[in-house]
Structures are given as C-alpha cells and as structure tokens.
Amino acid sequence: AQSVTQPDIHITVSEGASLELRCNYSYGATPYLFWYVQSPGQGLQLLLKYFSGDTLVQGIKGFEAEFKRSQSSFNLRKPSVHWSDAAEYFCAVGTQGGSEKLVFGKGTKLTVNP
Amino acid sequence: SQTIHQWPATLVQPVGSPLSLECTVEGTSNPNLYWYRQAAGRGLQLLFYSVGIGQISSEVPQNLSASRPQDRQFILSSKKLLLSDSGFYLCAWSVNREQYFGPGTRLTVT
C-alpha cells in the first residue's frame, strides 16, 4: 500500500532563509506526487505536482520540488521564505486507477520568524 | 472556472444528533468527489470517494455515510453523531489526477 512520510512535524525558519521540507513515499509503480499548503482553518491549495519528465518541478508562490526515485523522495524547497509562507504543508502520492485517490503525509507545520 | 462550495462553515452539534454536510462543485462535469476528515496532528483521512452518481466507496468503517444524488453534489451524513466525529471535514474534486479542495466545515460534537 502507498504511504507518505513527512519526518518533520514542525520547522521554524527566519524570514529570508531558505527552506526544505522533506517527503518520502512508498509506492511500487511510478508515483504521482503532490505538495499542498493549508493556512489555518482553510482548505488545501495545490502548490505543485510531479507526474513524469523533468524531475525538478516548479510551482506557485516560488516553490519547487525535486523527485528522486533512488531515494523515494519529493522534497519541497524555496530559496527565500516570506512571512506569508507560514502554514502547514502536506505531501501526497496519487494512486493508479480511476479513483485518483491521494494518500497524504501527516504534514509539516512551518513557522516563520521575522 | 471550477468552484467548490461547502456548507456550513462551522457546526456545533450534540452527541446523538444527525448530521448533513453538503458539497457542490461548479464548472465541471462528472468529477470524482472525495470526503476527508482532518484531526489535529493526524493529517487527512480519506472517508469516502465517488466516481459517479450513486457510486460511493467507503475507505474506513465508521459512523458516517455519503451520498451523491446529483453529478456535482456530495453529501456526508450521520444518523447519530459521536464525540469522535469532531474534526475538520474537507470535500475535494479531481480532474487529471489533481485534487482541489473546498474551504472545509469545522464540526464540534459536544
């Protein structure tokens, strides 16, 4: 069965610093991978996705992620964090088949210090 | 463009009372639809999904049920709420494997 691990429950960075959020997945076939962001009390917003092709994908809000098959990882990065990036971030892996179900990690909460 | 609505935004219900949460999608046809529950520190748990009218798949045994009476309408129900049903409920729809989420309903069972 598919699974996603986000090893860091909570990360704190200073505004302007770089950011990397870790995500490891378990899936037998070629995965469909996603990163979502959630502000408190809100729904989830899709940041970026990887389906195939170039392993470095660009998303909204200046985020990027790199797919590394050998490490079963899909880490999210941003070169310079803004205070508005404070939120919870979820990595997800999509399943094969018509249901298009996603399996989510437990999330990483990002705090940005001024 | 596509839009997804959920209501109510917040709900406080006593234990043993019924529940009905509604989700509607605009701007798309025959979407896959999903209900998730989010509890603090536990990520998102998929409760139900539907690939078409009247077609419901349950992911976990529980006190809840789902129905899809129309193509773009997805309803989450319970006959008798439990304290453990408290949480943040999210509806989502998908196209080309991408899921898009509604604003959510905060349910507190007292």
Side-chain angles (χ1 to χ4, degrees):
Chain A
Q2 301 86 359
S3 66
V4 175
T5 302
Q6 294 180 246
D8 304 304
I9 296 173
H10 192 183
I11 283 183
T12 299
V13 299
S14 298
E15 191 168 17
S18 63
L19 172 70
E20 182 169 25
L21 301 182
R22 296 183 291 164
C23 171
N24 293 97
Y25 68 91
S26 173
Y27 188 58
T30 300
Y32 303 99
L33 295 162
F34 305 84
W35 274 100
Y36 285 85
V37 61
Q38 184 182 34
S39 297
Q42 304 295 315
L44 277 71
Q45 182 182 23
L46 179 63
L47 281 177
L48 48 78
K49 62 184 184 288
Y50 171 79
F51 286 179
S52 64
D54 192 348
T55 56
L56 184 63
V57 294
Q58 303 296 320
I60 63 172
K61 304 185 179 186
F63 285 92
E64 66 178 27
E66 186 171 14
F67 170 59
K68 294 185 176 180
R69 184 186 299 276
S70 61
Q71 299 177 21
S72 297
S73 69
F74 188 56
N75 294 349
L76 182 71
R77 301 194 295 247
K78 187 169 185 178
S80 177
V81 171
H82 188 261
W83 64 266
S84 60
D85 293 323
E88 191 154 20
Y89 292 80
F90 293 92
C91 182
V93 62
T95 60
Q96 301 285 348
S99 70
E100 301 185 340
K101 293 188 292 183
L102 297 181
V103 174
F104 284 85
K106 294 189 183 301
T108 298
K109 184 177 181 180
L110 174 66
T111 297
V112 180
N113 288 334
Chain B
S1 64
Q2 299 87 357
T3 308
I4 181 167
H5 302 280
Q6 283 188 249
W7 63 91
T10 60
L11 191 59
V12 180
Q13 293 283 96
V15 168
S17 64
L19 173 73
S20 181
L21 302 181
E22 189 163 343
C23 169
T24 59
V25 181
E26 297 177 357
T28 186
S29 296
N30 197 31
N32 286 356
L33 296 172
Y34 310 84
W35 277 112
Y36 291 88
R37 178 168 57 203
Q38 187 175 27
R42 297 184 61 184
L44 280 82
Q45 180 184 35
L46 179 62
L47 302 176
F48 300 94
Y49 69 91
S50 171
V51 299
I53 296 174
Q55 301 179 62
I56 307 296
S57 296
S58 174
E59 288 292 291
V60 292
Q62 58 206 316
N63 185 44
L64 302 169
S65 62
S67 62
R68 185 171 178 173
Q70 300 180 41
D71 182 42
R72 288 171 287 180
Q73 184 185 31
F74 205 22
I75 297 172
L76 184 69
S77 304
S78 174
K79 293 182 179 178
K80 290 185 178 182
L81 283 168
L82 306 173
L83 284 174
S84 58
D85 292 323
S86 293
F88 192 49
Y89 288 82
L90 290 158
C91 181
W93 67 280
S94 72
V95 60
N96 298 327
R97 300 193 174 279
E98 297 177 18
Q99 286 193 18
Y100 296 91
F101 286 79
T105 295
R106 172 73 59 189
L107 171 65
T108 304
V109 182
T110 60

